[in-house]
Amino acid sequence: MQSTETQDTPDDGDNGVPEARRSDNSCISRIPAEIKNDSMECKVIDPGAKVAPRKVRTLIYALLCLGVQSFMSYDGGATPASLDTIQEEMNNAWSEAEFGILGAIDKIGMTATSLIWGRVLQHCDSKWLLAGGLLVNVAATSLFGELRNKTSMYCTKFFLGATQSLQGVWATVWAVTMAPPQSVTMWLGLGGVAAGLGNGIGT
């Protein structure tokens, strides 16, 4: 006698998908119009927001990154503009090569100390380092305007470059860490603009 029993088969529905595999949250059972736009938006994470609001960070960046960088770059334009006066006051004691070294030695100081500052900033309080660097920069700038000895002027220019390097390394790291994600590139670029502006004002 032939069996009349029938085996239950899952109701595949219109789409051929078993009922057990379909759910309201499944993309298979939802048409595109039902997928909300906000579920496909990419949310940008701003780590700096945990430290300070965006307006406060922008103010800090404008004052301590751009403002200080512009101030420290002032001597880069003032030194070339003062060469004739220096030569006159020192009775033509400078050669062209010595003037070239005088104009380049602050850049040598920046290059020589940049790697050192990166390590020091990892182990020391950045606030005290920056405050000390700013004071040294002010003192070296004042001494450079008063001294009329080649060796002393070379040393003061070297220290000017070293303090500028400290500020540049810190400002770069701070901008990368604290800038809004969509503004990181612009903030980094404005640092160079501030330095150029300081040189222009010094000239």
Side-chain angles (χ1 to χ4, degrees):
M1 183 176 178
Q2 186 177 1
S3 175
T4 59
E5 295 181 357
T6 59
Q7 184 177 1
D8 293 337
T9 58
D11 183 10
D12 291 348
D14 295 336
N15 297 325
V17 180
E19 184 70 24
R21 292 171 55 189
R22 286 185 295 157
S23 65
D24 293 339
N25 294 328
S26 173
C27 292
I28 299 177
S29 63
R30 299 169 65 192
I31 60 176
E34 294 176 340
I35 301 177
K36 297 181 180 179
N37 292 330
D38 59 358
S39 66
M40 300 192 309
E41 291 179 354
C42 180
K43 297 181 179 179
V44 180
I45 300 176
D46 185 3
K50 299 179 180 179
V51 180
R54 183 169 183 172
K55 291 183 178 179
V56 175
R57 285 179 286 153
T58 302
L59 180 61
I60 293 173
Y61 171 74
L63 294 177
L64 299 183
C65 293
L66 299 184
V68 174
Q69 181 64 57
S70 180
F71 169 80
M72 286 188 168
S73 300
Y74 179 87
D75 72 287
T79 300
S82 305
L83 294 182
D84 291 339
T85 302
I86 294 173
Q87 186 75 294
E88 182 180 351
E89 292 180 356
M90 297 184 67
N91 298 319
N92 297 319
W94 292 82
S95 66
E96 293 184 359
E98 289 172 333
F99 270 146
I101 295 174
L102 183 66
I105 198 166
D106 58 331
K107 308 304 185 293
I108 296 174
M110 293 175 64
T111 304
T113 58
S114 59
L115 295 177
I116 298 174
W117 290 131
R119 175 62 65 177
V120 172
L121 283 168
Q122 293 178 340
H123 298 282
C124 301
D125 189 341
S126 60
K127 294 180 181 178
W128 286 105
L129 278 175
L130 293 171
L134 185 59
L135 290 176
V136 172
N137 186 275
V138 172
T141 303
S142 301
L143 288 173
F144 183 82
E146 296 296 331
L147 295 174
R148 288 299 177 263
N149 176 272
K150 292 181 182 180
T151 302
S152 300
M153 295 174 75
Y154 284 146
C155 291
T156 55
K157 286 289 286 184
F158 183 89
F159 281 111
L160 285 172
T163 55
Q164 291 175 21
S165 177
L166 170 61
Q167 173 66 23
V169 171
W170 173 83
T172 300
V173 175
W174 192 92
V176 171
T177 305
M178 302 298 293
Q182 66 274 18
S183 302
V184 172
T185 303
M186 182 182 68
W187 281 26
L188 291 175
L190 287 176
V193 174
L197 182 62
N199 284 331
I201 295 174
T203 303

